Amino acid sequence: MSLHLILFLAFGAVCVAGAVNLLAQTHPINSALSLIAVMAALAGEYLLLGAEFVAAVQVIVYAGAIMVLFVFTIMLLNAGEEEHTRGSRVAIMLGVPGMLLGSILVAWVVLRHSGTEPVAAGALPGDPQAIAQLLFHEFLLPFEITSVLILIAIMGAVVLASKPEAVQKRKEH
Amino acid sequence: MVPLSYYLVLSGILFACGVTGFLIKRNIITIFMSIELMLNGVNLSFVAFAAHWHALAGQVFVFFVMVVAAAEAAVGLAIIIAVYRTRETLNVDQVNLLKL
């Protein structure tokens, strides 16, 4: 067993354990913390694949910025334990075995029919320079469109989250 | 050396966990986090395929997925705050104004 495989299995185990813990926990703050663990372990997987810049962005943007937003909202709304109704208990009883069956089926098909040629550690060096070349030449138009998307998202978030009285006051002025 | 299929299986497991969380969770914030988990599973298969086919465009796509996820998180959490303000609950079973 090579070191590469051992590292892959270690990070993968953290990923799966965090994802299952996200489902098992009833308090949203615990789910958020296990999701951060999943994202940090995924950054390790990206490093194994040679995508250094993607790994750094994963930690900074996903595990950093987006999850801080989630934790902030959980704290702001003082979210407590989730309550279950009869319908949601039925969903758990049917959903968990269904998910297990589905993922076993997908794993079986992928392991059976996809190519088994190995991916070397750092097979494709994704250094910032090469990615910037692609991003600012070939993908320039999508890049500009995403900047417009971000602007719209900022304005939408401000409008949605501002208090209704504040909007009313702004209209009167 | 790790086969490509191992990465795909891991990404499939993460996606399946996300789908299950989306279906069985009743807290609207946890449901939202399950969606992020699904996006992460897809990102892993993007990066794995990029390494396998030697196409750096796969890694650029991951950035676009992250940007869309960030925009979605900002707008979605603002919607959650607005829902909490009007309904005073985070349980999706109690947000049933459109139900017959």
Side-chain angles (χ1 to χ4, degrees), chain B residues 42-58:
Chain B
V42 173
N43 275 354
L44 179 63
S45 57
F46 261 128
V47 175
F49 274 125
H52 185 247
W53 296 113
H54 287 273
L56 209 54

Side-chain angles (χ1 to χ4, degrees), chain A residues 104-117, chain B residues 3-6 8-9 49 52-53:
Chain A
I104 289 170
L105 195 71
V106 168
W108 183 72
V109 168
V110 166
L111 286 175
R112 187 99 193 271
H113 293 287
S114 80
T116 46
E117 59 265 52
Chain B
L4 171 71
S5 48
Y6 287 15
L8 296 184
V9 168
F49 274 125
H52 185 247
W53 296 113

Side-chain angles (χ1 to χ4, degrees), chain A residues 91-170:
Chain A
I92 290 174
M93 274 191 290
L94 292 178
V96 172
M99 182 270 286
L100 279 177
L101 208 73
S103 42
I104 289 170
L105 195 71
V106 168
W108 183 72
V109 168
V110 166
L111 286 175
R112 187 99 193 271
H113 293 287
S114 80
T116 46
E117 59 265 52
V119 180
L124 182 69
D127 55 310
Q129 198 182 2
I131 286 180
Q133 280 286 344
L134 260 182
L135 195 59
F136 296 121
H137 284 104
E138 249 175 86
F139 293 97
L140 187 61
L141 183 64
F143 179 77
E144 294 295 337
I145 291 173
T146 49
S147 65
V148 176
L149 173 79
I150 288 276
L151 184 67
I152 294 170
I154 292 170
M155 295 196 303
V158 168
V159 169
L160 282 171
S162 63
K163 279 206 177 108
E165 307 97 70
V167 176
Q168 202 64 43
K169 221 176 259 172
R170 231 177 287 145

